[in-house]
Amino acid sequence: MSNPAGSHETADMYDLVIRGKRVLTTAGIAAREVGVRNGVVMALEPLGNALRGHTEIDLADDETLIPGLVDSHVHVNEPGRTDWEGFASATRAAAAGGVTTIIDMPLNSIPATVNVDALELKRSVALDQAFVDVGFWGGAIPGNKADLRPLHDNGVFGFKCFLLHSGVDEFPPLDPDEMEEDMRELTNYDALMLVHAEDSRTIDRAPTAQGDQYGKFLASRPRGAENLAIAEVIERARWTGARAHILHLSSSDALPMIASARRDGVKLTVETCPHYLTLMAEEIPDGATSYKCCPPIREASNREKLWQGLRDGVIDCIVSDHSPSTLDLKDLENGDFAVAWGGVSSLQLGLSLIWTEARHRGITLEQVIHWMSTAPADLVGLHKKGKLAPGYDADFAIFAADDAFIVDVTKLKHKNPITPYDGRALSGVVRRTFLRGHELDGITATGKLLRRGEITVERATNV
């Protein structure tokens, strides 16, 4: 950033300068110097311009500076189920994986985030434990329509509902008519409705999952249940004009109707998750309940169609759906898929998981970061997150794309040592993570609690 002649020496000093041959800007990867002041990117200049900073970092030749990831689908579970996960452990794991912002789901904490009192309790618990920035979703359940506007006014980023049993009794599902009624309510203030889209009637009539055979579990959560529920969401969004978001898409069958609905002007966005893009049903061993999630991991052919859905722009973003539990709830001793908790722990691993698969398909790192940072930030309305550009928060990760490692579950930062990726070889290592220009060390909690609408874009001069 240039300065007027005669300015004081400190005027052209930055708090932090990072320079290197590979900086992922909005125009692609380029040789750049990044100047940070007061937690914001203030300068982005060609390499060699000799920006000066109180702290200066030179990237190694194998390192790329990327914007911090935004994970809009994380179950932190605190308060109430802190033995499953907590804000300290979850946000440490996020930071280790290059994630600098998470949005916490309204369940499986007790109480669920379905009214303002519960939201304030959750914020009070998170306040001094957040190593990355944390925002919150609200919940839409039967009987809490009157709580939606107060939650919105208190800064939640939108509302999540289920169309079948959520797995916890304190967060009951909406039926489609109730969902439509809440959607109409949300149109009054343009709030987003997130939907776990599986049809309860279809699943009730499907075969039971009892036992240790993954094939039986897969048959108990058929694609048809997802497809029917997504069709329901599309039509209710069409009728109401509400903004709707499909959570954790696993059925590639739904992609054509999603694309069709968008062509019709339905306000619909869609996410998928690393487990649907990296794992396949054919390779899941019997009894391996660490793989259980809902909707389930499907076949290899389905996986490839999800990747195509991303390429085609039908799927907007990739987020973790980090949904941990204690080891005993995974029923590891018996491996019974009907009994085990359904959730995959992957918060720390998402970037490496997706990059490992993407590079084999000729997909660029720039595209991966769009799906995992820019698009989730846009979804949530965080207008200073998700890009490395002047005026944006100085949230970065230093990523060694060609480095590799073997996942060791005992070294991951989340609370309970279980993940289906244990022992898996992955490409891409997050070496350092920065939040608003300060390196995260896992010792000092410097994350902020975010509220919808509080953050405005402050554009700086791009020289």
Side-chain angles (χ1 to χ4, degrees):
M1 179 173 286
S2 58
N3 294 282
S7 62
H8 293 95
E9 181 181 346
T10 56
D12 60 359
M13 284 288 287
Y14 295 94
D15 302 326
L16 171 68
V17 170
I18 302 179
R19 60 177 67 89
K21 297 177 181 177
R22 294 180 56 83
V23 175
L24 202 166
T25 72
T26 55
I29 293 175
R32 290 289 184 267
E33 300 186 0
V34 182
V36 175
R37 188 179 291 131
N38 297 324
V40 175
V41 176
M42 298 301 291
L44 188 59
E45 299 190 4
L47 185 63
N49 278 21
L51 297 181
R52 293 187 297 161
H54 295 293
T55 300
E56 298 185 2
I57 296 172
D58 293 298
L59 300 178
D61 287 346
D62 69 338
E63 294 176 339
T64 304
L65 186 69
I66 62 173
L69 304 189
V70 177
D71 192 337
S72 58
H73 194 150
V74 179
H75 293 268
V76 177
N77 305 337
E78 188 176 12
R81 291 192 174 95
T82 311
D83 54 338
W84 294 21
E85 192 66 280
F87 284 101
S89 53
T91 56
R92 278 194 184 99
V99 177
T100 50
T101 302
I102 66 169
I103 312 296
D104 173 60
M105 281 293 168
L107 73 164
N108 302 304
S109 56
I110 302 172
T113 315
V114 295
N115 54 52
V116 171
D117 286 345
L119 174 64
E120 291 307 319
L121 175 61
K122 185 172 280 194
R123 281 188 172 135
S124 70
V125 171
L127 184 61
D128 298 322
Q129 297 192 76
F131 289 88
V132 302
D133 285 356
V134 179
F136 301 93
W137 297 113
I141 63 171
N144 85 324
K145 179 180 172 182
D147 291 298
L148 302 182
R149 182 60 188 256
L151 280 164
H152 174 83
D153 290 345
N154 276 274
V156 300
F157 287 89
F159 298 89
K160 178 179 185 176
C161 72
F162 278 74
L163 291 177
L164 79 172
H165 194 280
S166 69
V168 293
D169 292 338
E170 67 273 4
F171 201 95
L174 300 176
D175 65 35
D177 288 342
E178 290 171 323
M179 178 180 68
E180 181 183 342
E181 185 177 347
D182 282 354
M183 282 180 166
R184 290 191 188 280
E185 166 67 17
L186 298 186
T187 60
N188 293 323
Y189 30 95
D190 194 33
L192 181 66
M193 177 67 90
L194 316 173
V195 187
H196 180 124
E198 288 181 283
D199 180 68
S200 60
R201 295 160 297 177
T202 302
I203 288 175
D204 287 345
R205 296 182 180 188
T208 63
Q210 187 174 5
D212 66 355
Q213 295 179 32
Y214 185 77
K216 290 182 68 176
F217 170 64
L218 185 58
S220 76
R221 314 288 292 217
R223 294 190 200 197
E226 216 176 333
N227 303 334
L228 186 57
I230 290 170
E232 196 79 75
V233 173
I234 287 170
E235 294 314 305
R236 306 294 173 135
R238 188 194 308 274
W239 301 340
T240 61
R243 293 194 297 133
H245 179 74
I246 302 298
L247 296 163
H248 43 52
L249 179 71
S250 87
S251 173
S252 62
D253 293 351
L255 292 170
M257 66 173 154
I258 291 167
S260 175
R262 284 176 160 174
R263 285 193 296 270
D264 290 346
V266 177
K267 299 171 185 175
L268 190 67
T269 50
V270 183
E271 69 183 43
T272 193
C273 307
H275 35 283
Y276 303 128
L277 296 167
T278 63
L279 304 173
M280 49 186 142
E282 294 90 336
E283 292 184 354
I284 297 176
D286 289 343
T289 52
S290 63
Y291 290 81
K292 179 182 176 180
C293 56
C294 300
I297 296 157
R298 304 191 188 278
E299 305 83 358
S301 59
N302 181 79
R303 180 183 71 172
E304 296 314 307
K305 290 176 182 176
L306 291 177
W307 275 106
Q308 191 59 50
L310 283 160
R311 288 191 186 97
D312 293 342
V314 181
I315 302 172
D316 299 275
C317 53
I318 304 171
V319 293
S320 71
D321 189 11
H322 178 71
S323 184
S325 72
T326 55
L327 299 184
D328 61 301
L329 288 175
K330 275 295 190 179
D331 194 41
L332 300 175
E333 184 176 342
N334 301 310
D336 188 337
F337 283 97
V339 173
W341 175 257
V344 170
S345 295
S346 64
L347 180 55
Q348 185 172 335
L349 300 171
L351 178 56
S352 300
L353 287 166
I354 294 302
W355 174 236
T356 299
E357 294 293 325
R359 69 189 313 186
H360 293 323
R361 293 169 170 79
I363 296 170
T364 65
L365 181 61
E366 295 98 309
Q367 180 63 73
V368 168
I369 299 305
H370 173 81
W371 288 328
M372 301 188 76
S373 184
T374 311
D378 289 345
L379 172 74
V380 186
L382 289 172
H383 302 301
K384 289 187 68 178
K385 306 285 190 185
K387 294 178 182 178
L388 202 165
Y392 281 72
D393 286 349
D395 300 348
F396 312 131
I398 294 177
F399 185 61
D402 295 327
D403 206 348
F405 68 104
I406 304 293
V407 177
D408 179 349
V409 71
T410 65
K411 295 180 180 178
L412 299 179
K413 306 293 186 184
H414 67 255
K415 184 165 286 186
N416 288 282
I418 183 170
T419 181
Y421 303 108
D422 189 28
R424 194 178 183 94
L426 298 180
S427 298
V429 173
V430 174
R431 291 183 176 164
R432 304 169 76 173
T433 305
F434 298 79
L435 182 68
R436 284 183 294 277
H438 295 283
E439 185 167 6
L440 299 176
D441 58 9
I443 299 170
T444 306
T446 58
K448 292 184 177 179
L449 304 188
L450 306 177
R451 295 172 185 258
R452 177 201 46 78
E454 275 191 342
I455 300 174
T456 57
V457 180
E458 298 170 11
R459 296 288 182 190
T461 303
N462 190 356
V463 179

